[in-house]
Amino acid sequence: SGPWMCYPGQAFQVPALPGCRPVLKLQCNGSKVPEAVLRDCCQQLADISEWCRCGALYSMLDSMYKEHGVQEGQAGTGAFPRCRREVVKLTAASITAVCRLPIVVDASGDGADVCKDVAAYPDA
């Protein structure tokens, strides 16, 4: 395994993590996330290589914004009406830590618990 598995257009396609979408929406709006919902999200994320987990979360966030007509770089939070963009990004970036799943943040194999590339998502 390695980071080359995660790039779009390669044989490996990152799923949009449908189980993590409600976790993000609930957490961001200050609601309690039911244990079963969190478990589903964590299981989906666990099935993805630790090299690709942040990319999968980034793809999920990107697709949620696009579904609500928000283009990358555009202001607006249609997917999260009561949540500031920074909070949405940080919440998504921390899902790996909430699930206690390791991630690899760069080619040296260094690990972390929060996805910095998701937290740095463009102003969408």
Side-chain angles (χ1 to χ4, degrees), residues 13-101:
Q13 289 297 311
V14 176
L17 296 170
C20 293
R21 290 169 174 236
V23 171
L24 185 55
K25 286 182 178 179
L26 288 166
Q27 277 189 331
C28 203
N29 291 322
S31 301
K32 181 162 175 38
V33 178
E35 193 63 38
V37 173
L38 184 59
R39 193 170 40 245
D40 285 349
C41 171
C42 292
Q43 184 57 56
Q44 285 180 7
L45 208 49
D47 290 342
I48 296 171
S49 161
E50 61 191 38
W51 287 94
C52 306
R53 290 176 181 148
C54 291
L57 288 167
Y58 186 98
S59 293
M60 176 192 73
L61 185 59
D62 190 50
S63 67
M64 289 175 81
Y65 276 122
K66 286 180 179 163
E67 285 165 15
H68 290 272
V70 178
Q71 298 302 313
E72 194 171 293
Q74 204 180 42
T77 53
F80 311 96
R82 294 186 304 238
C83 200
R84 290 196 335 265
R85 288 188 304 273
E86 297 77 23
V87 175
V88 174
K89 293 187 290 188
L90 292 172
T91 302
S94 68
I95 289 177
T96 51
V98 170
C99 292
R100 294 186 180 91
L101 293 170

